[in-house]
Amino acid sequence: MTEAPGTPAGARSGEPAGPAGLGWAPAGPAGVDPSVRGTVEQIVQAVRDGDDAAIRTLLADLAAVADTAALLYLRERLYRPQ
């Protein structure tokens, strides 16, 4: 099977296409500390509520403990449809 131009190798239909090396990857909660997941969920809710003060505070809290997995999880949660 041949991928469409701009589709990362191994991408399945329905997955976003992007530049090589920046393809879609699941960033689920596996390996993310439960307290970090809680902070991420609070950030997502604050973003949806438009609460700028809460967003700033929560992002500062997350920055103190975040690793790559936590940041990818935040990104995935923010882009997931409601």
Side-chain angles (χ1 to χ4, degrees):
M1 179 159 120
T2 305
E3 287 91 13
T7 302
R12 297 176 297 245
S13 65
E15 292 177 356
L22 299 176
W24 181 87
V32 177
D33 184 90
S35 65
V36 171
R37 283 197 307 265
T39 301
V40 166
E41 295 305 321
Q42 290 175 13
I43 292 168
V44 170
Q45 189 59 52
V47 167
R48 296 203 169 123
D49 293 344
D51 188 346
D52 293 339
I55 294 167
R56 280 190 295 276
T57 300
L58 291 164
L59 284 174
D61 293 345
L62 182 63
V65 296
D67 59 5
T68 302
L71 295 174
L72 290 172
Y73 179 60
L74 173 61
R75 179 183 183 275
E76 187 269 330
R77 288 294 295 121
L78 288 170
Y79 282 98
R80 182 185 300 166
Q82 293 179 343

